[in-house]
Amino acid sequence: MAVAAALASLGAVALGTFVVALLLRWLWDALVAVTRFRATCRQLNKFPIPPWRNWLLGHTGMVRARPVAPGVVAPARGQEEWSGGTWGDSEDRVVALAKRHVLPLSHPSTLQPLLSASAFVAPKDELFYSFLKPWLGEGLLLSRGQRWARHRRLLTPAFHGDVLRNYLGIFNQSTRVLLAKWRVATVAAGGGPVGLEVLQPLSLLTLDTLQKCIFSHESHCQERPSEYIQAILELSSLVVRRQLQPLLHPWWLYSLSSDGQRFARACATVHAFTADVVQRRRRALARLGHQAWLDGHRGRSMDFIDLLLLTKDETGHTLSDEDIAAEADTFMFEGEHQLPGAIGDEPLCGDPADIEWEDLSQLPFTTMCIKESLRLHPPVTAVSRRCTEDIPLRDGRIIPKGVTCLMSIYGTHHNPDLWPEPEVFNPLRFSPENSKGRSPSSFIPFSAGPRNCIGQSFAMAEMKVVVALTLSRFVLRRDTARPPPRRKPELILRAENGLWLLREPLPGVA
């Protein structure tokens, strides 16, 4: 009995000591956290702070869309006012969202150090991207650290100019499918101006092109429904809707909702399609061998899956099937977002045959129109980074470790100090003489630095082909019978209720 009592007493003492140790550890961690928080606040006090709601909620709920011009809505109040406007000059300013420090940045002088920082120092912030992970996995958009660095090295050759050159035929082919449909509709309407919504057909054109370039798959999605394409479009819509419903942010709650179940089904459709293509190619490569596989592709271009199957790192290791599928899904997701907002407003002369690689450098005004469209309506309005180290700025201020930086591409592109009359469409802003001396961080539709968009050359080449072929056959004007377009921020910047244009064939073009 005495032994049992002694053991019980020792046990009680040990438990008490353990509880006290836990309490002390919790207090120490809390003290460290408070100390770091106060140090961060002192560093951030050097940045302007807009008026806020209260000490607890900070600026939560104050970011909302608001008009910035007749018929035009900015993506978010924060992106317009916090990048220079209602609250003073065009400096960057601190925002506190329920005690989480977010530093919206839009001026090139503060963007440049962050954009040029190593991807390990300024990785993407998971808060803003986590909803995409079940769909896109660990592709370049969402991966971090050494995994991202390795994949970036392995994927870079897939976007070399010699590879992109082989995709020009696909760009031309998909564009002519769309133009043929428009020509039939124009003839049916008597040859006069015809009103049409252009965002949906341009989106389908892009997805058609991507399936051919990534998978060598003829989906014919511009002519008939595709389950795979519908799943991609549904996933984009569901992610946006979830962002606006805080109660569905936790995964376990979302998985129980009807939207969560639709999301899971759409993910399964996309993943099954991609996995089937990758596995069939892998089996064919294993059966034929490396050299026979290359010989079989001689004289014809390889698609994205082919290139990724053959790529190896410096140690001879290849990408797994899961890695390739994640990158293919990511490329489909990101590639679909570039084209719809890029149509310019000037016709080209004549009716050219297919646009060749050499022709792309002979379209200076078309290129200026595309760039000005991307300035006015950047597909991605902001990107976020979470600093893993202090990042010094040129003026002596410091972005503290742990702060989330929201880099407003929209705010940068609409800063009147950088772009006079920012809401005016003026392609000549990008003429060689007007571009001299301009900071590279003033125009960042594809971001910049180590984590810039790896597919930007692909996107620009596709846009040039589509614009050149379209405007060699049709004149496009805004349909004034409909309300002016309004910007609608989702995963990308879209036009609320679509973008309606009047389409009229050029004289003498069949």
Side-chain angles (χ1 to χ4, degrees):
M1 294 290 292
V3 173
L7 289 174
S9 177
L10 286 174
V13 170
L15 179 60
T17 302
F18 178 71
V19 171
V20 169
L22 281 180
L23 180 60
L24 290 174
R25 180 54 189 259
W26 179 84
L27 289 173
W28 174 255
D29 289 344
L31 178 62
V32 170
V34 169
T35 302
R36 288 177 179 170
F37 183 81
R38 289 174 64 86
T40 298
C41 289
R42 284 195 298 271
Q43 290 176 312
L44 291 177
N45 281 339
K46 297 178 182 179
F47 294 86
I49 302 178
W52 61 357
R53 293 175 63 184
N54 56 56
W55 68 271
L56 177 63
L57 296 178
H59 300 97
T60 305
M62 297 179 68
V63 180
R64 60 179 182 272
R66 73 177 186 88
V68 296
V72 179
V73 171
R77 175 181 171 187
Q79 291 189 28
E80 176 67 17
E81 293 180 342
W82 295 333
S83 62
T86 303
W87 292 332
D89 58 23
S90 52
E91 287 187 284
D92 303 296
R93 48 203 77 233
V94 181
V95 185
L97 302 178
K99 290 305 173 186
R100 180 186 177 98
H101 287 116
V102 178
L103 184 59
L105 303 174
S106 65
H107 198 278
S109 63
T110 48
L111 285 176
Q112 183 57 41
L114 196 68
L115 289 169
S116 59
S118 159
F120 297 93
V121 173
K124 291 190 175 180
D125 184 73
E126 291 185 353
L127 174 69
F128 295 93
Y129 296 94
S130 61
F131 295 165
L132 293 168
K133 200 146 208 171
W135 171 13
L136 303 181
E138 293 283 347
L140 271 185
L141 180 65
L142 303 181
S143 59
R144 307 177 61 169
Q146 292 294 343
R147 180 187 180 88
W148 173 86
R150 176 174 179 264
H151 281 220
R152 178 80 183 204
R153 289 196 305 272
L154 290 175
L155 265 66
T156 296
F159 295 92
H160 189 274
D162 291 339
V163 175
L164 298 182
R165 179 193 300 265
N166 294 324
Y167 293 148
L168 263 288
I170 294 174
F171 297 164
N172 282 281
Q173 177 190 2
S174 295
T175 304
R176 290 195 179 279
V177 171
L178 174 64
L179 298 182
K181 291 173 61 179
W182 284 5
R183 184 166 59 250
V184 170
T186 300
V187 171
V194 177
L196 77 159
E197 198 284 314
V198 299
L199 293 186
Q200 184 182 29
L202 286 174
S203 181
L204 290 176
L205 184 161
T206 307
L207 290 167
D208 185 24
T209 297
L210 288 169
Q211 284 200 89
K212 294 171 183 174
C213 294
I214 297 173
F215 305 113
S216 294
H217 178 67
E218 288 280 357
S219 68
H220 302 288
C221 65
Q222 296 191 72
E223 298 144 302
R224 59 175 182 257
S226 161
E227 183 184 18
Y228 173 72
I229 296 301
Q230 289 305 312
I232 289 178
L233 297 175
E234 183 173 34
L235 285 170
S236 295
S237 175
L238 289 170
V239 169
V240 172
R241 191 151 65 190
R242 186 181 176 200
Q243 288 177 332
L244 302 176
Q245 297 175 299
L247 290 178
L248 294 182
H249 285 190
W251 283 112
W252 69 273
L253 278 177
Y254 188 63
S255 64
L256 298 175
S257 68
S258 58
D259 274 8
Q261 292 165 16
R262 288 173 57 199
F263 185 88
R265 288 193 296 270
C267 273
T269 298
V270 170
H271 293 163
F273 176 89
T274 307
D276 179 64
V277 174
V278 173
Q279 289 165 13
R280 280 191 288 107
R281 299 286 182 83
R282 179 78 75 183
R283 289 194 295 269
L285 178 59
R287 184 177 67 254
L288 295 173
H290 190 101
Q291 188 57 49
W293 173 278
L294 291 176
D295 291 342
H297 283 77
R298 203 174 303 280
R300 63 186 182 90
S301 60
M302 292 188 185
D303 61 28
F304 189 65
I305 299 293
D306 292 333
L307 293 167
L308 296 192
L309 281 168
L310 295 173
T311 191
K312 295 181 180 181
D313 63 18
E314 57 276 7
T315 64
H317 291 95
T318 61
L319 292 169
S320 68
D321 288 0
E322 292 75 16
D323 291 339
I324 295 174
E327 300 301 351
D329 290 338
T330 297
F331 193 24
M332 283 294 299
F333 164 73
E334 291 191 301
E336 188 263 333
H337 295 158
Q338 299 297 341
L339 179 62
I343 289 292
D345 67 348
E346 289 289 332
L348 303 178
C349 296
D351 179 18
D354 285 356
I355 304 297
E356 303 294 340
W357 182 255
E358 292 73 19
D359 297 329
L360 299 183
S361 61
Q362 306 300 316
L363 299 168
F365 190 70
T366 298
T367 303
M368 287 189 283
C369 286
I370 291 173
K371 288 184 175 181
E372 177 67 347
S373 296
L374 292 172
R375 183 197 67 80
L376 265 173
H377 315 291
V380 178
T381 60
V383 294
S384 66
R385 299 287 186 268
R386 181 126 173 125
C387 302
T388 62
E389 298 178 9
D390 290 353
I391 297 181
L393 302 180
R394 294 177 182 174
D395 60 7
R397 292 181 297 179
I398 291 177
I399 300 175
K401 174 183 176 180
V403 167
T404 295
C405 294
L406 186 65
M407 296 187 287
S408 174
I409 297 173
Y410 179 90
T412 304
H413 289 186
H414 289 77
N415 188 325
D417 292 343
L418 307 173
W419 307 97
E421 299 183 285
E423 289 296 335
V424 174
F425 180 82
N426 178 14
L428 295 179
R429 298 179 198 269
F430 292 94
S431 66
E433 55 272 20
N434 289 334
S435 298
K436 287 180 180 177
R438 180 181 296 148
S439 168
S441 302
S442 298
F443 179 65
I444 48 173
F446 301 103
S447 188
R451 291 204 72 147
N452 67 346
C453 175
I454 195 173
Q456 58 184 291
S457 296
F458 179 100
M460 285 298 296
E462 182 185 15
M463 286 188 281
K464 289 181 184 180
V465 170
V466 175
V467 172
L469 288 181
T470 300
L471 299 181
S472 69
R473 290 180 171 272
F474 295 96
V475 175
L476 301 177
R477 292 189 293 269
R478 189 173 70 81
D479 189 345
T480 56
R482 295 180 176 272
R486 294 166 61 90
R487 298 184 182 99
K488 181 183 179 183
E490 292 185 345
L491 281 178
I492 62 165
L493 186 61
R494 297 189 183 275
E496 189 175 25
N497 300 318
L499 180 61
W500 290 82
L501 300 178
L502 288 177
R503 174 195 65 213
E504 186 174 5
L506 284 171
V509 176

